[in-house]
Amino acid sequence: MKLEDFRFMIDCKKTYEFKFNDSVYNITYGKDSEGEYIAFGKLYEQKKFYSWGEFMNEAKIDNSFFREIIPVL
C-alpha cells in the first residue's frame, strides 16, 4: 500500500485490520477527553495516537516502525 493511500484511509477514519507475523493488528478511532485519536496495535492491546505525526513517529510492530511496514500491506 502506498503511504498516500494509507493516509487517505486514516483521514476517512476507515477501520483496518491486517495480519502480520501471525498476529492480528487493527486500526480504529475514537474520542476521549484529550481529543480524537487513532488506536493502533494488536487486537485488544491498542495504543492511542492523537495525531498523524505522532502515529507515524511512534507506532511500532515488534522492533520496526509501522511506517516502514506500510508498503508491504
Side-chain angles (χ1 to χ4, degrees):
M1 176 182 305
K2 291 181 181 180
L3 184 60
E4 296 83 19
D5 297 334
F6 183 75
R7 174 70 191 255
F8 180 75
M9 183 183 72
I10 296 295
D11 288 344
C12 293
K13 293 186 168 87
K14 182 177 179 187
T15 301
Y16 187 65
E17 184 173 294
F18 62 95
K19 193 172 185 178
F20 189 82
N21 288 343
D22 296 324
S23 294
V24 176
Y25 294 86
N26 65 9
I27 299 171
T28 58
Y29 309 88
K31 186 175 183 177
D32 62 15
S33 61
E34 295 183 45
E36 293 185 3
Y37 62 82
I38 303 164
F40 169 75
K42 289 183 180 177
L43 208 53
Y44 307 114
E45 297 176 18
Q46 295 178 317
K47 182 178 175 186
K48 295 177 183 177
F49 301 95
Y50 290 91
S51 70
W52 169 258
E54 180 184 15
F55 180 45
M56 287 292 100
N57 289 322
E58 296 181 19
K60 288 188 172 186
I61 293 182
D62 298 328
N63 292 325
S64 299
F65 283 103
F66 178 65
R67 67 179 177 258
E68 297 167 353
I69 296 169
I70 292 171
V72 299
L73 297 179

